[in-house]
Amino acid sequence: MLKKRFTELALVTATLLLITGILWLTDGDRYITSLVPRDHTIAAVLPECNRAWPVGNFFPWNILYKIAPIPAIILASSSLVILLMGSFRACKGWLAPWRKRAIFILLLLALGPGLVVNVLLKGELGRPRPRQIVEFGGEYQFTQCWQPGEGGSNSSFPSGHATIAFFLMAPWFILRDEKEQKKRYAEIFLLTGILFGTLVGIARILQGGHFVSDILWAGGLLYLLGSILGLALGMHKSTSTSNISNDP
């Protein structure tokens, strides 16, 4: 099981680096962003304004931007309820298998969208957003992902909205080693999380808020952190033990 997890981490990391390399070599971030329609009249006066990127303000992209955090809020709230109810003696027995999973969800939320993405990367790298760079009417020079820039805090890399949307995949890490039925649920969470995060990411690209690589690494970092945290908490061991104890 451990070998399988480490192999998966290596493959995901290699895929992220490969796509990033292609984007660097082809200048893919700027090229794809250049295809997004802009209102040049507004951009000439207010280049960093969302209204200069009108498509992102239309349905369904404007709605996706607003609802991006909702699944993460539901998962985190449910996890808190499980932990609180688990402190009562009457609930300890039947909630015991889920308490560790609830802790995982809360820790991943704090580490992924919280510490790593919004504090360490967005707060420190300073990559300018598309609407902030010279090519699209802004004042800053374009920088590649993972390169420091002059965009200040709350910068472009990676996308915070996309990361919180990709968080919908979090149950995948705690259910994927379960029996067949729960494994199907895990796959559903993984696929819907990837789809939801991607759609929110497209909305942010259309709004001039992020480049493609910002979205790529938003999902990639969350997946890597989820896998590493799962290994650190021994989620693969706890689910395997649960499967054995539940066998007739």
Side-chain angles (χ1 to χ4, degrees):
M1 184 66 71
L2 277 176
K3 183 179 179 180
K4 181 180 178 181
R5 291 287 175 266
F6 284 121
T7 300
E8 177 188 275
L9 282 170
L11 287 173
V12 172
T13 303
T15 302
L16 289 170
L17 293 175
L18 176 62
I19 299 174
T20 300
I22 293 171
L23 290 172
W24 275 46
L25 292 172
T26 62
D27 200 17
D29 271 337
R30 274 189 290 193
Y31 174 72
I32 293 170
T33 303
S34 71
L35 301 177
V36 178
R38 289 189 302 134
D39 188 320
H40 294 279
T41 303
I42 296 176
V45 182
L46 300 170
E48 294 189 22
C49 179
N50 280 337
R51 285 178 296 167
W53 302 72
V55 177
N57 296 312
F58 297 152
F59 179 87
W61 312 114
N62 56 343
I63 301 299
L64 285 165
Y65 174 78
K66 292 178 181 178
I67 67 172
I70 291 178
I73 291 171
I74 293 172
L75 286 171
S77 301
S78 302
S79 298
L80 277 174
V81 169
I82 289 171
L83 287 179
L84 290 173
M85 290 181 64
S87 63
F88 295 100
R89 185 178 300 177
C91 300
K92 277 185 178 180
W94 60 276
L95 281 178
W98 289 96
R99 294 184 67 188
K100 190 173 185 178
R101 298 165 186 173
I103 291 171
F104 171 87
I105 293 290
L106 294 172
L107 279 178
L108 182 58
L109 182 63
L111 289 173
L115 178 63
V116 173
V117 170
N118 281 295
V119 177
L120 296 180
L121 294 178
K122 289 178 67 67
E124 299 297 330
L125 271 182
R127 186 189 195 190
R129 299 174 184 274
R131 58 177 180 257
Q132 293 179 315
I133 67 172
V134 173
E135 289 90 332
F136 303 120
E139 57 180 313
Y140 300 117
Q141 294 299 318
F142 169 79
T143 59
Q144 299 283 4
C145 63
W146 292 107
Q147 284 186 330
E150 302 175 339
S153 60
N154 191 31
S155 56
S156 186
F157 183 81
S159 169
H161 270 78
T163 304
I164 202 70
F166 279 120
F167 191 80
L168 181 56
M169 73 171 72
W172 156 257
F173 301 103
I174 59 179
L175 297 174
R176 60 178 171 175
D177 294 317
E178 293 279 5
K179 286 185 176 180
E180 196 60 34
Q181 184 177 6
K182 289 184 179 178
K183 189 177 291 186
R184 284 198 294 270
Y185 294 149
E187 292 168 353
I188 290 172
F189 274 110
L190 177 63
L191 293 175
T192 54
I194 291 174
L195 177 61
F196 186 53
T198 301
L199 289 173
V200 171
I202 292 172
R204 298 300 289 132
I205 292 170
L206 293 174
Q207 292 164 356
H210 289 286
F211 296 100
V212 170
S213 58
D214 297 329
I215 312 306
L216 170 72
W217 279 96
L221 282 170
L222 184 68
Y223 195 95
L224 292 174
L225 287 169
S227 297
I228 293 169
L229 183 61
L231 285 171
L233 293 181
M235 298 305 300
H236 59 292
K237 295 178 182 177
S238 62
T239 52
S240 297
T241 303
S242 174
N243 286 342
I244 293 171
S245 62
N246 290 332
D247 283 341

